[in-house]
């Protein structure tokens, strides 16, 4: 498995709020790294052989790369909108491919079975048609006009509503979800999944949110999102094979899986295959 | 009754589950255990110097051990869950309540390590967890031979609720439950109890509901 | 429930009407283990997206598309199952003969031993014959049906005398625990050497 084309990407390696001089030992794509706050207050990241790695702080997290990033970190313009509450959900480790973690985040059909009575409930299991495209200018995967019936779409939601979603994949291990915002019609809540690839079959997942919600206590917002993600975790650790199969014969998508189909096609096109399996084994 | 609670903590879940099963309404006070480490902050340390959660407050009474919370909830609302009928039964309940602390120390610590990156010797923790699961499996096999479905009796007691959460969540810590058929049956029986509630990592038993008539063309 | 077969992991399940089935333990949709799924009536459903499968392995229902009849090509590999005398048998391919019957014996429990059959034989002090190992512990005879899961692991089914009382059955279960401890010690020693 090659990791070359993904090596120049940016990956989350720590919460910015937990950055200290003592540092955090972690890993990126199999290489041990150290993340700490330098004397100038900036994030310092060092690789396995002591070499300095690129570092930046954005969207509540420290980002780094093993290679030489050709582009700045992707933009989330909504994150800078005044009035949003930024929620550090915290890390959860999962024994799965980083790409499987992202693909699960793009999936809505599992809501009634895995997030029962929160994000979905039988008999409201149907996935209506939605639009999927690979936007060539931005080089991102987008799914729009995604609608799903949800018993409790957000911490601030009271009762069941049909929620509208947009999904965006700006980098192979990061996804951004835009979701109907009950207190502010016309605006979108931003919920992200930032995945740190530790190995091809092991990742640290850092969910993060930028919400319009002045009512709900911060801890409740954190617990809501941790609940959702940990419900997914036992699925992710029991998918076979552990790596994401890019061989079309290996798994059977339906119309509901068009986002995942586009995501896999986009990964393949760019050679983003760290955590993927190209041929059936 | 106020519970200082973390949604991903199996020990907190014991108190929530027990309260749900015996019909006690808890006033939940969420604690930012992860990533905020609020349980180590001044407010909660003043309440519980051990720096652990859950904490159950009822008037002047402050409990910081989950087994004590189970006993308190049962004694208040549904004393049959205490299993006090005979000396033997009372002792078996205590035996499993004490045993449950070994589950916390092994499977619970393995789960914190594997999921929330807490320090620990993972091989040793998983090994101790497996040893505890084997003991539980053997105990449940013997109960089954005696014609009893639960740990201490043929009806559920606080002992079952003390042991269930860390066992059901063992795979979160990388310890498989596949080798334990008696644990699987017991776990399903508990999950099917009236008033049972889940926590993240324990899925709904969808088989308890009949196949719904699908809704087509909604939204 | 999950189980092992020579053809790989299987999801073993029983329909509401009582018929046993063995599926490859992987939903063809997104690879989720079917042994985590749920049984409603005569179907097994995947916990991930609720895809339901009949006992023959064909997909009956895709909840995301309730109006769709799934094509017959969506199916799970199945294995032949025989359910007799309280023991479930799986065969890869068509079985040449029906599984053996153990007259006078009742199955008590199944347990995983982290040791191969050689270590179990050494622990019992006898040789297995036809997959059966006789073990005498404290003057009590226990019969063990062994199914190897690779070289270093064995699924051991404990069989007790049909007429035994609960006390004797508990003793048989404990004897099997003792045998497992000794066999695993031997297996560990073997690795150390």
């Amino acid at each position: 498995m090659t990791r070359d084309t993904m090596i120049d990407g940016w990956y989350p390696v720590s919460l910015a709020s937990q950055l200290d001089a003592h540092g955090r030992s972690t890993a990126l794509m199999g290489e041990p790294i150290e993340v700490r706050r330098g004397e100038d207050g900036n994030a310092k990241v060092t690789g396995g052989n002591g070499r300095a790695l690129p570092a930046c702080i954005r969207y509540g997290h420290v980002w780094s790369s093993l290679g030489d990033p050709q582009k700045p970190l992707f933009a989330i313009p909504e994150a800078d909108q005044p009035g949003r509450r930024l929620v550090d959900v915290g890390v959860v480790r999962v024994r799965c491919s980083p790409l499987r973690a992202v693909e699960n985040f793009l999936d809505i059909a599992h809501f009634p079975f895995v997030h029962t009575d929160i994000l979905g409930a039988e008999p409201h299991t149907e996935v209506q048609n939605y639009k999927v495209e690979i936007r060539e200018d931005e080089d991102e995967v987008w799914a729009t006009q995604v609608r799903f019936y949800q018993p409790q779409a957000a911490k601030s939601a009271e009762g069941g509503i049909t929620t509208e979603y947009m999904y965006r994949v700006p980098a192979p291990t990061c996804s951004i979800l835009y979701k109907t915002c009950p207190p502010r019609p016309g605006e979108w809540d931003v919920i992200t999944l930032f995945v740190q690839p530790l190995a091809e079959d092991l990742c640290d997942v850092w969910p993060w949110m930028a919400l319009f919600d002045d009512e709900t206590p911060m801890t409740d917002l954190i617990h809501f999102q941790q609940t959702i993600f940990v419900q997914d975790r036992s699925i992710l650790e029991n998918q076979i094979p552990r790596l994401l199969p890019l061989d079309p014969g290996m798994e059977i998508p339906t119309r509901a899986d068009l986002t995942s189909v586009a995501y896999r096609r986009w990964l393949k096109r760019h050679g983003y295959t760290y955590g993927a399996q190209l041929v059936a084994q | 009754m106020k519970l200082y609670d973390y949604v991903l903590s199996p020990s907190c879940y014991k108190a929530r589950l027990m309260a749900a099963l015996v019909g006690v309404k808890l006033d939940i006070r969420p604690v930012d255990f992860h990533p905020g480490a609020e349980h180590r902050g001044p407010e909660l340390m003043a309440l519980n110097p051990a720096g652990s959660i859950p904490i159950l407050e009822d008037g002047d009474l402050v409990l910081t051990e989950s087994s004590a919370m189970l006993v308190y909830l049962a004694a208040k609302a549904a004393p049959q869950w205490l299993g006090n009928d005979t000396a033997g039964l009372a002792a078996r309940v205590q035996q499993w309540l004490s045993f449950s602390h070994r589950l916390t120390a092994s499977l619970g610590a393995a789960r914190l390590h594997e999921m929330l990156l807490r320090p620990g010797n993972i091989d040793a923790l998983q090994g101790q967890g497996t040893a505890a699961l084997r003991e539980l499996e053997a105990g449940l096999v013997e109960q089954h031979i005696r014609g009893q479905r639960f740990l201490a009796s043929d009806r559920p007691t606080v002992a079952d609720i003390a042991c269930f959460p860390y066992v059901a969540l063992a795979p979160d810590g990388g310890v498989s439950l596949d080798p334990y058929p008696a644990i699987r049956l017991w776990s399903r029986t508990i999950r099917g109890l009236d008033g049972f509630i889940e926590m993240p990592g324990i899925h709904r038993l969808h088989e308890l509901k009949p196949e719904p008539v699908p809704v087509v063309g909604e939204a | 429930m999950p189980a092992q077969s020579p053809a790989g992991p299987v999801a073993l399940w029983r329909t509401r009407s009582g018929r046993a089935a063995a599926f490859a333990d992987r939903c063809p949709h997104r690879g989720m283990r079917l042994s985590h799924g749920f049984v409603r009536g005569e179907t097994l459903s995947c916990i991930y997206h609720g895809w339901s499968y009949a006992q023959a392995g064909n997909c009956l229902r895709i909840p995301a598309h309730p109006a769709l009849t799934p094509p017959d090509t969506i199916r799970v590999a199945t294995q032949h199952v025989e359910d007799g005398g309280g023991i479930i048998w799986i065969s890869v391919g068509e079985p040449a003969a029906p599984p053996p019957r153990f007259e006078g014996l009742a199955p008590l429990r199944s347990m995983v031993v982290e040791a191969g059959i050689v270590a179990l034989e050494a622990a019992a002090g006898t040789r297995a014959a036809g997959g059966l190992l006789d073990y005498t512990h404290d003057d009590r005879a226990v019969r063990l049906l062994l199914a190897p899961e690779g070289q270093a692991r064995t699924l051991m089914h404990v069989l007790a005398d049909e007429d035994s009382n609960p006390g004797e059955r508990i003793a048989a279960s404990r004897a099997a625990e003792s045998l497992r401890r000794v066999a695993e010690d031997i297996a560990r020693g073997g690795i150390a050497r």
Side-chain angles (χ1 to χ4, degrees):
Chain A
M1 225 48 48
T2 169
R3 61 174 206 184
D4 291 352
T5 51
M6 277 171 69
I7 210 158
D8 293 329
W10 289 102
Y11 300 97
V13 293
S14 173
L15 270 180
S17 59
Q18 293 189 340
L19 192 63
D20 60 20
H22 180 68
R24 165 176 199 266
S25 298
T26 174
L28 200 50
M29 299 166 88
E31 182 170 337
I33 62 169
E34 282 281 325
V35 186
R36 61 183 179 84
R37 191 182 62 228
E39 280 167 16
D40 57 2
N42 289 325
K44 302 281 179 216
V45 183
T46 38
N49 53 3
R51 75 188 196 282
L53 299 178
C56 70
I57 294 181
R58 199 78 177 92
Y59 317 129
H61 291 80
V62 179
W63 299 77
S64 187
S65 174
L66 289 183
D68 181 15
Q70 304 299 306
K71 291 192 292 189
L73 183 65
F74 51 83
I76 310 177
E78 298 81 6
D80 300 324
Q81 245 177 325
R84 284 189 189 258
R85 284 170 78 199
L86 308 179
V87 184
D88 292 347
V89 178
V91 68
V92 177
R93 178 161 295 174
V94 191
R95 202 157 285 283
C96 77
S97 152
L99 308 178
R100 285 253 195 218
V102 169
E103 181 175 82
N104 173 73
F105 186 73
L106 303 174
D107 181 272
I108 51 174
H110 73 284
F111 289 172
F113 301 99
V114 179
H115 309 297
T116 312
D117 290 344
I118 306 175
L119 300 184
E122 289 182 293
H124 310 278
T125 55
E126 184 174 25
V127 176
Q128 303 281 334
N129 287 345
Y130 55 88
K131 290 196 169 150
V132 180
E133 59 187 324
I134 297 176
R135 295 192 179 168
E136 301 295 341
D137 290 351
E138 296 97 331
D139 192 23
E140 295 183 352
V141 181
W142 278 78
T144 55
Q145 299 174 24
V146 183
R147 286 186 194 87
F148 205 68
Y149 174 86
Q150 302 200 316
Q152 193 200 342
K155 195 69 204 178
S156 60
E158 302 248 347
I161 46 170
T162 295
T163 308
E164 186 169 345
Y165 285 92
M166 294 190 291
Y167 286 96
R168 176 184 162 205
V169 184
T173 73
C174 293
S175 181
I176 300 154
L177 160 65
Y178 298 91
K179 184 173 185 175
T180 318
C181 169
R184 281 230 204 165
E187 296 284 359
W188 298 90
D189 274 337
V190 170
I191 299 170
T192 72
L193 196 79
F194 301 146
V195 182
Q196 173 183 359
L198 299 167
E200 290 206 78
D201 59 356
L202 185 68
C203 52
D204 278 351
V205 177
W206 306 86
W208 185 76
M209 305 192 285
L211 310 176
F212 285 115
D213 180 346
D214 299 326
E215 304 290 317
T216 312
M218 183 60 95
T219 302
D220 293 54
L221 295 173
I222 293 171
H223 287 190
F224 182 81
Q225 205 54 26
Q226 287 185 353
T227 294
I228 298 301
F229 188 70
V230 171
Q231 288 178 333
D232 286 320
R233 187 177 180 272
S234 66
I235 299 289
L236 291 169
E237 296 205 333
N238 284 289
Q239 281 176 280
I240 303 166
R242 213 158 247 177
L243 301 185
L244 183 76
L246 294 181
D247 180 335
M250 192 68 192
E251 293 185 351
I252 303 171
T254 72
R255 239 180 326 108
D257 302 314
L258 287 181
T259 317
S260 130
V261 171
Y263 174 60
R264 291 184 185 200
R265 189 180 302 145
W266 180 77
L267 291 174
K268 212 168 171 175
R269 181 204 284 185
H270 287 287
Y272 294 147
T273 55
Y274 189 80
Q277 174 181 294
L278 286 166
V279 284
Q281 281 162 358
Chain B
M1 243 184 275
K2 183 170 173 182
L3 181 72
Y4 291 79
D5 178 58
Y6 175 46
V7 70
L8 298 187
S9 154
S11 291
C12 295
Y13 170 59
K14 289 181 194 179
R16 293 199 303 272
L17 175 58
M18 192 72 223
L21 289 167
V22 300
V24 171
K25 175 106 180 64
L26 292 175
D27 169 20
I28 300 283
R29 153 69 162 87
V31 175
D32 182 9
F33 177 91
H34 175 83
E38 188 190 355
H39 58 301
R40 300 275 183 196
E43 185 198 342
L44 270 82
M45 287 296 278
L47 205 55
N48 176 17
S52 64
I53 48 169
I55 305 168
L56 186 72
E57 240 185 352
D58 193 20
D60 289 340
L61 183 70
V62 177
L63 300 174
T64 60
E65 293 293 338
S66 59
S67 292
M69 295 173 202
L70 300 184
V71 167
Y72 185 63
L73 288 163
K76 280 211 102 152
Q80 69 276 18
W81 281 80
L82 293 173
N84 274 340
D85 324 18
T86 63
L89 176 54
R92 280 201 298 278
V93 168
Q94 288 301 320
Q95 176 79 19
W96 288 115
L97 284 181
S98 297
F99 171 84
S100 71
H101 296 290
R102 279 172 49 207
L103 297 171
T104 311
S106 55
L107 298 173
R111 179 172 175 273
L112 281 176
H113 181 277
E114 292 294 275
M115 196 161 102
L116 302 182
L117 320 190
R118 295 295 195 274
N121 177 347
I122 188 63
D123 291 339
L125 294 172
Q126 290 173 338
Q128 289 152 13
T130 299
L133 288 174
R134 283 180 166 195
E135 272 184 61
L136 184 71
E137 172 80 8
L140 286 166
V141 164
E142 295 187 6
Q143 280 296 88
H144 183 73
I145 293 169
R146 294 184 191 105
Q148 307 202 327
R149 291 168 301 153
F150 294 94
L151 269 176
S153 167
D154 193 35
R155 60 164 208 265
T157 64
V158 289
D160 296 285
I161 306 310
C163 292
F164 169 75
Y166 284 102
V167 170
L169 296 166
D172 281 351
V175 178
S176 172
L177 288 174
D178 291 357
Y180 311 108
I183 289 177
R184 168 174 291 262
L185 280 178
W186 167 74
S187 174
R188 295 178 79 85
T189 306
I190 292 174
R191 289 165 70 193
L193 291 173
D194 278 345
F196 179 85
I197 54 168
E198 295 112 20
M199 73 163 273
I202 300 173
H203 290 298
R204 179 75 49 90
L205 271 190
H206 295 292
E207 47 268 69
L208 297 180
K209 258 179 43 178
E211 186 79 49
V213 178
V215 177
V216 182
E218 182 179 57
Chain C
M1 63 178 286
Q4 293 297 322
S5 88
V10 294
L12 206 56
W13 61 288
R14 199 186 278 286
T15 68
R16 187 94 194 170
S17 64
R19 294 180 302 165
F23 283 4
D25 196 5
R26 181 178 184 277
C27 179
H29 174 224
R30 282 293 176 251
M32 180 63 195
R33 288 178 65 194
L34 284 170
S35 56
H36 288 238
F38 54 95
V39 177
R40 277 181 186 157
E42 303 299 296
T43 65
L44 174 67
S45 301
C46 178
I47 186 71
Y48 197 3
H49 298 94
W51 289 27
S52 307
Y53 299 90
Q55 202 191 13
N58 53 307
C59 181
L60 291 175
R61 193 176 78 100
I62 297 178
H65 307 296
L68 175 87
T69 304
D72 202 48
T73 46
I74 303 183
R75 51 174 53 243
V76 187
T78 63
Q79 293 185 27
H80 192 84
V81 176
E82 290 277 349
D83 184 359
I87 300 174
I88 310 255
W89 299 81
I90 300 175
S91 79
V92 182
E94 272 308 302
R101 284 276 190 179
F102 303 113
E103 296 302 331
L105 292 173
L108 195 60
R109 63 178 297 199
S110 302
M111 47 206 290
V112 170
V113 184
E114 300 296 341
I117 289 190
V118 175
L120 274 162
E121 288 177 330
T126 52
R127 300 295 296 272
L132 280 176
L133 183 70
D134 285 311
Y135 172 53
T136 307
H137 182 75
D138 289 346
D139 293 333
R140 224 177 273 276
V142 184
R143 185 158 269 205
L144 305 157
L145 176 61
L146 304 178
E149 294 184 354
Q151 289 295 311
R153 178 182 279 199
T154 309
L155 180 61
M156 179 167 87
H157 307 282
V158 185
L159 309 178
D161 195 330
E162 213 168 47
D163 301 323
S164 55
N165 63 37
E168 290 164 337
R169 290 182 181 211
I170 288 172
S173 169
R174 291 182 185 177
E177 297 266 344
S178 302
L179 177 69
R180 173 166 70 180
R181 266 190 295 277
V182 177
E184 290 183 349
D185 276 347
I186 292 170
R188 267 192 296 272
I191 290 162
R193 279 200 299 273

